[in-house]
Amino acid sequence: MGEEMDGNSILAEALKLQGVEYVFGIVGIPVIELSMAMQAVGMHYVGCRNEQAACYAAQAMGYLTGKPAVCLVVSGPGLLHVFGGMANAQINCWPLIVIGGSCPQDHEGIGGFQECNQVELSRPYCKYAARPPHPKLIPTHVEKAFRLATYGRPGVSYLDFPGNMLSMSVPSGDIYLASKVPAPPLAYPDPIQVKEVVSVLGQSKRPLVIIGKGAAYGKAELALRDLISSCNLPFLPTPMGKGVVSDTDEHCVAPARSAALQKADCILLFGARLNWILHFGRPPRFNPNVKIVQVDLCPEEFHNSRISTVALQGDIQATCTLIVKELTSQGWHIPSSSPWWNLLKEKVQNNKMTVGKMIADIRPPLNYYAVFQHIQDIIPIDSIICSEGANTMDIGRTLLANILPRHRLDAGTFGTMGVGLGFAVASALWCQRYSPQKRVICVEGDSAFGFSGMEVETMFRYKLPVVIIVINNNGIYGGFDQDTYNAIRDGADPTQVTPPTALTVKVRYDNIMTLFGRRGYFCSTIPEVQDAVKECLKIVDGPSVINIAINPAADRKPQPFNWLTESKL
């Protein structure tokens, strides 16, 4: 009969064949032996403290490397805990494979331990959800899960494994072996449509390029930098499109975002969606007559919210390269002295003056702008920045620069809180593997840090030198100062008088480091912030935590519009 293999070994070998290198999870019945089998074949297992954080870490690794990592969880509640992460990866279009242990098949329907209809519950949050019917078919389903997670619009695959299937042994000769999935095919746009783009741009007086995280994932940075520089085009990055073209590039008009969107007569979207992040492409944020050129791998994104003038389906790098070739052959570019550039430069300068005044105000209690600028002055310019929170994330995005692609990970399209530390775990592991000198800076609001703060222990266990910075304003969006907080609570039922947005005043999140025999840093002045950041950058064998107390009423600079486009219904 030959050598026999159990389901755990078959699954581990099948994942290894497809190139899976990292597994993030929390083990228990029935996947403990599976995690060990994964390590036995050479995969890197990272045990987290919360299933959501494990799922966020796995998908971030998929985004950074372009191939899915695995999130491994136990049955029932273990899987239910990762649905937030699965939805986040699916909506962000990041490759991810989730593997869930499940109730033994002979216990189903009679009240088995953690019995749950896991495959059906997973379907809304992934591209592929299945339970192999027999151990010998495991490689077939792993191949399909990997292929669907990476081909077309990347996303999530879920595979379900009852405990009895993982422990069952079968002759190795009976196993249906699958082939390694080839790299996704490269899709090129219709050449006629490329010429249409050139024609539309040729009639434009006020063009604008918007760069999304799809361009970052598609590694389109060289082609887009060529387009921007050779045609002298202004550009805006979406939050995770930052760094595809450097934030410090002279063509970046992010400080003039509102004017650029409102006044542009032609917008080129590269891997960006006209969703809430871009105000649906509608007036009053956009010119009602603006022509939209949309470049995306996924045709389902075309004409969302408004009809695009030209919609090109194709690999973003390949498509952009063809557009550049057509434009440069005609010598087309926007003169630096054009009225369009003059308007944008004026708006950029005015914004910098406004923000500069806020940066200059370093009186305690501190404001966001002063804090972020003085962090930016010290951290390495090529740092990977993970961030989440409300103003912490949004204001930080404007001041913490990215010069390289895929170096900012934040709450993303789904606006998911709790992603920060999981993203930072994956980013630090990526750095260890591919760029050991690079640093990961994880910037958290105090509310956001509370979602997954114990992942500090995960970072400590795996010696990940993440610098965690908590911007502490005592609440969600903002809280109270100590005197006000005390006054409203004295002699009253705290559940009746404490506003839903308020958290405890000046929580010493930095003291979490004492759990590991180390020191955290609490800062309330700019010199303290500077000294703490410098000290933490010296730490290379584990995480560090800086807790910065800011004004509970600190806010972003006045906006011409509400930051979130509201429904008129």
Side-chain angles (χ1 to χ4, degrees):
M1 293 181 62
E3 180 184 355
E4 291 198 342
M5 296 179 67
D6 65 12
N8 291 309
S9 298
I10 296 170
L11 178 52
E13 291 284 1
L15 291 166
K16 182 70 174 178
L17 172 66
Q18 298 306 335
V20 174
E21 295 180 303
Y22 287 92
V23 182
F24 302 84
I26 297 180
V27 299
I29 298 171
V31 297
I32 296 173
E33 291 79 8
L34 174 58
S35 65
M36 295 177 179
M38 290 171 163
Q39 287 182 314
V41 299
M43 284 188 278
H44 304 278
Y45 178 82
V46 181
C48 297
R49 298 302 300 267
N50 177 283
E51 286 96 349
Q52 285 192 36
C55 196
Y56 298 140
Q59 64 193 258
M61 187 62 79
Y63 173 65
L64 292 168
T65 63
K67 60 183 179 183
V70 163
C71 177
L72 176 65
V73 296
V74 300
S75 51
L79 177 66
L80 296 176
H81 287 171
V82 302
F83 284 164
M86 291 171 69
N88 189 72
Q90 184 72 359
I91 290 172
N92 271 350
C93 305
W94 289 358
L96 169 69
I97 295 175
V98 177
I99 292 177
S102 60
C103 169
Q105 290 163 299
D106 56 327
H107 292 179
E108 290 179 339
I110 56 174
F113 175 65
Q114 295 184 332
E115 181 181 351
C116 184
N117 192 3
Q118 296 177 186
V119 174
E120 291 305 316
L121 287 172
S122 298
R123 290 195 196 283
Y125 310 107
C126 53
K127 294 176 68 177
Y128 179 64
R131 170 190 288 183
H134 193 276
K136 66 183 181 181
L137 292 170
I138 288 174
T140 300
H141 286 269
V142 168
E143 185 276 341
K144 186 171 183 180
F146 191 97
R147 177 162 41 86
L148 293 187
T150 53
Y151 276 38
R153 185 210 302 255
V156 184
S157 291
Y158 173 69
L159 293 177
D160 190 71
F161 291 96
N164 61 312
M165 185 183 299
L166 292 173
S167 61
M168 184 187 305
S169 294
V170 297
S172 58
D174 291 350
I175 300 170
Y176 286 67
L177 299 178
S179 300
K180 181 177 173 60
V181 175
L186 195 63
Y188 282 85
D190 183 343
I192 295 176
Q193 288 189 305
V194 173
K195 293 184 182 297
E196 289 178 9
V197 172
V198 174
S199 176
V200 170
L201 271 176
Q203 302 170 42
S204 171
K205 302 297 183 185
R206 301 184 302 279
L208 177 69
V209 173
I210 297 179
I211 301 171
K213 68 173 173 288
Y217 181 81
K219 296 180 172 58
E221 52 266 21
L222 295 181
L224 278 164
R225 291 170 188 172
D226 192 12
L227 171 67
I228 296 296
S229 61
S230 62
C231 297
N232 198 35
L233 286 165
F235 78 90
L236 291 174
T238 65
M240 276 189 276
K242 282 164 58 70
V244 173
V245 182
S246 173
D247 287 343
T248 61
D249 189 284
E250 63 181 353
H251 298 90
C252 180
V253 294
R257 185 178 191 271
S258 293
L261 293 178
Q262 273 192 302
K263 302 297 184 181
D265 62 5
C266 178
I267 291 177
L268 285 76
L269 288 172
F270 287 96
R273 295 181 274 203
L274 290 179
N275 57 14
W276 66 273
I277 292 176
L278 288 175
H279 318 292
F280 313 106
R282 296 177 179 175
R285 298 296 192 98
F286 284 67
N287 178 343
N289 298 314
V290 66
K291 295 182 178 179
I292 302 291
V293 174
Q294 208 170 354
V295 179
D296 206 288
L297 190 66
C298 179
E300 288 87 349
E301 292 295 342
F302 294 151
H303 315 301
N304 180 55
S305 184
R306 65 179 300 165
I307 299 297
S308 297
T309 306
V310 185
L312 290 86
Q313 181 188 7
D315 176 83
I316 293 175
Q317 180 180 11
T319 303
C320 186
T321 299
L322 293 175
I323 292 172
V324 173
K325 184 177 180 180
E326 285 288 336
L327 289 171
T328 54
S329 69
Q330 298 184 20
W332 185 89
H333 72 285
I334 298 295
S336 297
S337 59
S338 66
W340 180 225
W341 264 118
N342 288 338
L343 170 65
L344 293 174
K345 290 174 183 176
E346 179 185 357
K347 294 293 185 181
V348 167
Q349 189 59 35
N350 290 344
N351 181 76
K352 287 183 175 180
M353 291 176 61
T354 300
V355 171
K357 294 176 182 178
M358 304 176 79
I359 291 171
D361 182 4
I362 61 172
R363 298 167 298 175
L366 299 172
N367 69 73
Y368 286 103
Y369 294 86
V371 167
F372 284 131
Q373 184 59 55
H374 287 88
I375 292 171
Q376 172 66 29
D377 289 343
I378 296 172
I379 63 175
I381 192 64
D382 66 344
S383 298
I384 294 180
I385 297 172
C386 303
S387 185
E388 60 177 329
N391 288 344
T392 295
M393 181 176 65
D394 295 336
I395 299 172
R397 181 173 66 244
T398 67
L399 291 171
L400 300 177
N402 292 104
I403 64 168
L404 296 171
R406 299 169 296 282
H407 276 54
R408 178 182 170 87
L409 293 85
D410 66 21
T413 308
F414 209 31
T416 309
M417 290 296 101
V419 298
L421 272 69
F423 283 0
V425 166
S427 298
L429 288 164
W430 183 91
C431 289
Q432 282 186 347
R433 180 75 175 275
Y434 298 102
S435 186
Q437 302 306 312
K438 196 181 294 293
R439 298 309 300 266
V440 176
I441 313 297
C442 183
V443 185
E444 300 275 299
D446 51 331
S447 172
F449 181 73
F451 280 80
S452 54
M454 278 310 298
E455 297 306 324
V456 172
E457 189 274 329
T458 304
M459 297 174 184
F460 189 83
R461 193 174 354 124
Y462 294 105
K463 299 181 179 181
L464 303 177
V466 177
V467 179
I468 302 169
I469 302 175
V470 181
I471 308 298
N472 190 348
N473 65 355
N474 307 332
I476 303 170
Y477 301 105
F480 290 109
D481 59 70
Q482 188 73 60
D483 291 341
T484 304
Y485 187 74
N486 290 342
I488 66 170
R489 288 168 60 91
D490 285 347
D493 179 350
T495 65
Q496 289 289 300
V497 299
T498 304
T501 59
L503 300 175
T504 304
V505 172
K506 291 186 180 178
V507 175
R508 293 298 300 270
Y509 298 107
D510 49 297
N511 285 343
I512 195 171
M513 291 306 297
T514 64
L515 300 177
F516 314 105
R518 299 199 177 184
R519 175 196 171 196
Y521 297 84
F522 178 76
C523 309
S524 57
T525 68
I526 290 301
E528 291 172 342
V529 171
Q530 294 174 316
D531 290 343
V533 174
K534 290 175 183 177
E535 287 300 313
C536 291
L537 288 172
K538 297 175 184 177
I539 300 170
V540 296
D541 63 345
S544 52
V545 176
I546 304 171
N547 181 16
I548 305 175
I550 68 168
N551 188 339
D555 204 351
R556 67 187 77 197
K557 68 182 180 64
Q559 304 291 308
F561 298 95
N562 290 330
W563 74 273
L564 183 63
T565 300
E566 296 179 355
S567 172
K568 302 302 180 184
L569 296 177

